[in-house]
């Protein structure tokens, strides 16, 4: 067996090479990035990267391994933190145990520390993306308290900038670019879900990297609970990104023979900028066996149409209006169960309210399905109101610390799904709901963060709760394989690749303001493809911001996702109904391209303008949107360059009118937009581009490109 092992993803157009040193105890990634070519002398690669030893340092240079070790002299944050009683075995040092197991696409190694009584199994895979996970086993007789086990990936010296993601409720996925100088950049999440505030995603790249230029590396933690992300530049210039689950004290204790496995780290590389790098994340999701293959149904949500006012006649009228404009799925939101007439009571009682639905849900479901639409329903199974039958019967089933007044959020407590009897109760109720009704879709919400969350044994419960959530979804999907699920957590609070192994959609944000959504969806597109991204047309006045936007702008914004409507469309006049119907028809006409193509984003050089779109995988077609976000310093927008098409093919470029579209004040708009379009080569489109029209702020223009 060789000391160095090379993996390639075998994709000629987007090839990535990974070289791993398996002699360092825990393996070390020597190279991850551009292809090195055929017949490379890997040992020469390692020798070329041997580092000099500076004065005043240790006699060894500890490697930046997958799990770097303080016990071996690593000066940064160790990948493994933990101890036995009395603080022993706190700084292990692993050695290789046996030969690595190698295939064309994977490397599995085992390392042991017989003194500390620990074993590490590391799995490295390379397909659409690089995937890494580590399993720690306690091989000693005494228990081992695990404080943290993270995965570390080295970054090259030229990766001098970081792009991280911050946000808040109704303003998720905000990309922030920072210089990566000496020291550490850290983001930690303790909210019990993936979080609005710190998406577990980092990109590192060479200075000034853009959407279509520069070396870019991306790292994502596929985990739906607490997490930690660290990017550090050591004093010797080495850089690394370290990610993993954030564990509360005492949350994971390994008894003899027990194993903890890290969440999977998914990582991507591109030598051609951020946009091609993000395709690795998209392809990774599209390759999963559960990825939806049928067209994504255009969805109506009742929430912003009726809120808690569940009147049968009103809901029927809403269904009639939805069917008349071409909608394909009708989702009954919060308020259908128990005593749930507002947000203060009823959570946990997942039975149909006899007060609101004296004949049950069947009449409404039959009306909806009779119109040719699927029926969906909202639930929030991880939560309970104190004012509920469940909480009164089982007050000890909440995730809270004994002896303290529980912290309440949104009138809710967290139901401890790590408690077997609570888990079984929720499973029975949801199983009965799906068994007894013709339900095709479940919107699964989670509306408050964990705080002071101890389980039945008094230990912190977020890790156990997250694992229980996965088990619950897995069991329901096994029993009801035809039902699709959406991950919602006050909007985009739980968006990650692990939850998407169990869901067909995420609710990207509770904000339906089209202006805010442009940035929210742009950030989200760096991790997930459009067909998984819930994007709704809301009322003209936004529920969350109070802004007023045209239907054309709201429509073109929601077009680039899994389209839905969240609006009392039964109240629309004939003109608005016709415009909404036309937008839905437009989406359906381009749905295959939007949901199977490559997402593209463009650098406009101006904060006042955004541009994005989708290219067909074979580059035969494209749909592109140019957005005027605000007033700009120049009277006219800059030309829009469109890299990434086939340079030698010719494309017919044409304006695609939007219903109700109105452009800005101009004596004359670009001739190509008004005289039937033009034909340009892919090279011309990349080099000089096309001139967009003058637009009003908060509006957009849409155009198509078809190879001729």
């Amino acid at each position: 067996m060789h000391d160095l092992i090379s993996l390639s993803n075998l994709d000629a157009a987007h090839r990535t090479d990974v070289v791993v040193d398996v002699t360092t105890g825990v393996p070390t990634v020597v190279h991850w990035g551009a292809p090195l070519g055929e017949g490379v002398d890997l040992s020469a690669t390692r020798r070329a990267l041997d580092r000099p030893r500076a004065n005043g340092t240790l006699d060894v240079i500890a490697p930046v391994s997958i799990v770097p070790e303080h016990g071996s002299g690593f000066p940064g944050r160790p990948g493994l933190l933990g101890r036995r009683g009395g603080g022993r075995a706190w700084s292990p040092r692993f050695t290789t145990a046996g030969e690595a197991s190698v295939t064309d696409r994977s490397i599995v190694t085992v390392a042991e520390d017989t003194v500390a009584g620990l074993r590490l199994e590391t799995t490295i895979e390379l397909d659409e993306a690089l995937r890494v996970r580590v399993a720690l086993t306690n091989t000693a007789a005494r228990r081992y308290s695990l404080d943290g086990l993270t995965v570390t990936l080295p970054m090259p010296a030229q990766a001098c900038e970081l792009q991280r993601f911050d946000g808040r409720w109704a303003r998720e996925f905000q990309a922030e670019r920072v210089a990566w100088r000496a020291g550490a950049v850290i983001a930690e999440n303790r909210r019990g879900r993936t979080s609005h505030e710190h998406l577990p995603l980092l990109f590192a790249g060479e200075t000034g990297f853009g959407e279509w230029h520069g070396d870019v590396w991306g790292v994502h933690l596929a985990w739906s609970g607490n997490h930690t992300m660290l990017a550090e530049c050591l004093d010797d210039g080495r850089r690394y990104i370290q990610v993993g689950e954030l564990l509360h004290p005492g949350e994971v204790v390994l008894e003899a023979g027990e194993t903890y496995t890290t969440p999977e780290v998914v990582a991507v590389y591109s030598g051609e900028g951020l946009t091609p790098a993000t395709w690795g994340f998209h392809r990774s999701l599209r390759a999963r066996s559960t990825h939806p293959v049928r067209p994504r149904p255009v969805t109506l949500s009742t929430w912003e149409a009726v809120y808690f006012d569940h009147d049968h006649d009103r809901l029927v009228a809403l269904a009639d209006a939805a069917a008349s404009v071409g909608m394909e799925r009708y989702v009954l939101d919060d308020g259908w169960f128990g005593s749930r007439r507002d947000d203060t009571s009823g959570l946990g009682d997942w039975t149909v309210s006899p007060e609101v639905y004296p004949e049950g849900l069947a009449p409404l479901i039959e009306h909806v399905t009779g119109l040719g639409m699927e029926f969906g329903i909202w639930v929030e199974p991880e939560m309970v109101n104190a004012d509920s039958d469940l909480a009164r019967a089982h007050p000890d089933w909440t995730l809270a610390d004994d002896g303290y007044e529980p912290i309440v959020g949104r009138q809710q407590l967290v139901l401890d799904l790590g408690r077997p009897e609570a888990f079984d109760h929720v499973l029975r109720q949801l199983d009965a709901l799906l068994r007894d009704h013709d339900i095709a879709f479940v919107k699964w919400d989670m509306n408050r963060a964990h705080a002071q969350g101890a389980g039945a044994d008094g230990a912190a419960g977020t890790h156990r709760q997250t694992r229980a959530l996965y088990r619950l979804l897995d069991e329901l999907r096994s029993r009801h394989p035809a039902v699709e699920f959406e991950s919602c957590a006050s909007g985009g609070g739980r968006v990650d690749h692990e939850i998407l192994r169990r869901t067909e959609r995420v609710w990207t944000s509770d904000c339906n303001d089209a202006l805010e959504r442009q940035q929210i969806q742009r950030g989200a597109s760096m991790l997930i493809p459009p067909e998984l991204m819930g994007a709704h047309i809301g009322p003209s006045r936004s529920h969350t911001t109070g802004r007023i936007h045209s239907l054309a702008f709201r429509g073109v914004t929601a077009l680039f996702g899994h389209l839905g409507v969240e609006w009392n469309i039964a109240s629309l006049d004939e003109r608005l109904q016709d415009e909404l119907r036309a937008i839905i028809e437009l989406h359906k006409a381009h749905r295959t391209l939007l949901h199977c193509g490559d997402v593209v984003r463009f650098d406009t050089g101006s904060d006042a303008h955004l541009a994005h779109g989708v290219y067909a995988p074979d580059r035969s077609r494209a749909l592109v949107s140019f957005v005027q976000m605000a007033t700009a310093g120049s009277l006219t927008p800059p030309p829009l360059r469109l890299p990434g098409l086939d340079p030698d093919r010719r494309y017919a470029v044409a304006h695609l009118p939007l219903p109700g579209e109105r452009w800005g004040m101009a004596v004359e708009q670009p001739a190509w937009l008004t005289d039937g379009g033009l034909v340009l080569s892919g090279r011309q489109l990349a080099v000089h581009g096309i001139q967009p029209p003058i637009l009003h702020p908060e509006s957009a223009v849409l155009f198509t490109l078809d190879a001729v």
Side-chain angles (χ1 to χ4, degrees), residues 337-359:
F337 54 91
S339 60
R340 188 73 166 179
R341 307 290 80 79
D342 55 31
D343 65 357
T344 64
S345 70
L347 274 183
D349 302 333
W350 301 111
T351 55
V352 180
S353 169
E355 175 189 347
V356 180
Y357 294 95
E359 298 180 60

Side-chain angles (χ1 to χ4, degrees), residues 322-339:
S324 73
V325 296
M327 307 200 74
E328 299 160 314
R329 174 183 285 164
Y330 179 102
V331 180
L332 186 68
D333 212 284
D334 196 357
W336 58 268
F337 54 91
S339 60

Side-chain angles (χ1 to χ4, degrees), residues 86-322:
R88 297 176 182 274
W90 67 277
S91 184
R93 187 186 306 174
F94 291 92
T95 56
T96 303
E99 292 189 346
S101 174
V102 181
T103 71
D104 289 342
R105 308 299 288 272
S106 68
I107 304 169
V108 179
T109 69
V110 175
E112 291 182 335
D113 181 339
T114 56
V115 176
L118 299 170
R119 182 175 70 242
L120 277 176
E121 181 176 285
T122 302
T123 302
I124 302 170
E125 299 174 304
L126 184 62
D127 43 38
E128 293 80 10
L130 173 65
R131 305 173 187 278
V132 184
R133 59 186 180 275
V134 179
L136 175 72
T137 301
N138 178 13
T139 59
R142 298 180 64 191
R143 64 173 49 179
Y144 180 82
S145 295
L146 179 65
D147 296 324
L149 180 60
T150 50
V151 168
T152 300
L153 292 173
M155 293 288 139
Q158 70 265 33
C160 295
E161 287 188 351
L162 289 173
Q163 182 163 301
R164 60 181 186 173
F165 294 82
D166 296 326
R168 60 166 173 81
W169 172 75
R171 201 170 187 269
E172 299 89 339
F173 310 110
Q174 301 298 304
E176 300 288 342
R177 185 76 66 90
V178 296
W180 189 7
R181 301 186 176 91
V185 176
I186 189 168
E188 292 187 340
N189 166 47
R190 293 177 173 82
R191 296 174 186 261
R193 55 190 181 187
T194 320
S195 89
H196 302 81
E197 295 76 17
H198 299 298
L199 185 69
L201 174 65
L202 273 176
F203 289 98
E206 59 183 309
T207 300
F209 73 87
E211 292 290 351
W212 293 94
H213 67 274
D215 283 322
V216 177
W217 293 261
V219 181
H220 167 59
L221 183 72
W223 179 246
S224 311
N226 295 335
H227 62 259
T228 178
M229 302 194 76
L230 172 74
E232 184 170 18
C233 179
L234 299 171
D235 60 355
D236 61 10
R238 290 183 293 171
R239 300 171 185 271
Y240 67 92
I241 290 177
Q242 188 180 87
V243 296
E245 182 182 7
L246 187 151
L247 296 174
H248 290 303
E251 195 162 20
V252 173
V253 176
L254 300 179
E255 302 293 346
E258 289 185 339
T259 298
Y260 167 86
T261 302
T262 65
E264 186 172 73
V265 173
V266 186
V268 297
Y269 163 78
S270 169
E272 299 176 310
L274 188 58
T275 283
T278 61
W279 294 340
F281 288 131
H282 295 184
R283 289 171 180 152
S284 178
L285 286 169
R286 286 170 170 171
R288 67 205 165 110
S289 61
T290 57
H291 190 76
V293 294
R294 69 184 180 106
R296 301 290 73 220
V298 179
T299 297
L300 178 97
S301 169
T302 65
W303 178 242
E304 290 193 30
V306 303
Y307 297 104
F308 287 106
D309 185 11
H310 282 223
D311 175 79
H312 177 77
D313 292 340
R314 188 178 181 188
L315 290 169
V316 164
L318 194 59
D320 292 339

Side-chain angles (χ1 to χ4, degrees), residues 474-504:
D474 290 344
E475 182 61 28
L476 287 169
R477 291 176 66 88
S478 174
R479 297 185 185 189
H480 306 279
V483 177
E484 294 189 357
F485 288 79
E486 175 183 68
S487 171
C488 176
S490 298
R494 188 150 62 195
V495 178
D496 61 83
H497 281 211
E498 188 63 31
I499 199 67
L500 279 165
R501 292 191 174 111
R502 299 162 173 86
T503 55
E504 284 76 16

